[in-house]
Amino acid sequence: MASDDIKASLCVLGYCILPLTVAMLVCRLLLLASTSVTAFIMRLVIVAAMFAWSTFASTAFLADSQPPNRRALAVYPIFLFYFVISWMILTFNPPPH
């Protein structure tokens, strides 16, 4: 049954990445419109909000499957996974033409 748990965990992680996908689309549109400091701040706020949403949603699903004294250990890799994806979305800059 452990493989079923792994499959369910991967499905939850994939489902909870949707807010970051939306953030990527919005950030690309903002980059097309402008590359100013204001646009970067807007991108930062959008990515931070979607990162928080993704992390909260996935930990709500997966942290309950862990004993209370091991929840932080289960949440940390999820946090890192979404943080790295958020960082890649935020730091992307198209090459100059």
Side-chain angles (χ1 to χ4, degrees):
M1 296 302 163
S3 66
D4 290 339
D5 292 339
I6 292 171
K7 289 177 189 175
S9 297
L10 289 176
C11 287
V12 167
L13 290 175
Y15 171 77
C16 292
I17 206 167
L18 180 65
L20 288 174
T21 305
V22 171
M24 182 208 46
L25 293 172
V26 171
C27 287
R28 301 287 183 206
L29 292 173
L30 284 172
L31 278 174
L32 288 174
S34 174
T35 57
S36 67
V37 174
T38 307
F40 177 77
I41 292 171
M42 289 173 54
R43 288 172 44 213
L44 178 65
V45 169
I46 291 167
V47 169
M50 295 302 161
F51 165 73
W53 184 359
S54 293
T55 304
F56 176 75
S58 62
T59 56
F61 283 120
L62 298 176
D64 291 336
S65 65
Q66 300 297 318
N69 62 341
R70 296 184 59 101
R71 279 202 182 132
L73 196 59
V75 170
Y76 182 67
I78 296 168
F79 172 84
L80 283 180
F81 174 69
Y82 291 129
F83 180 79
V84 168
I85 293 172
S86 299
W87 185 257
M88 288 191 302
I89 292 169
L90 186 62
T91 59
F92 174 80
N93 283 321
H97 290 60

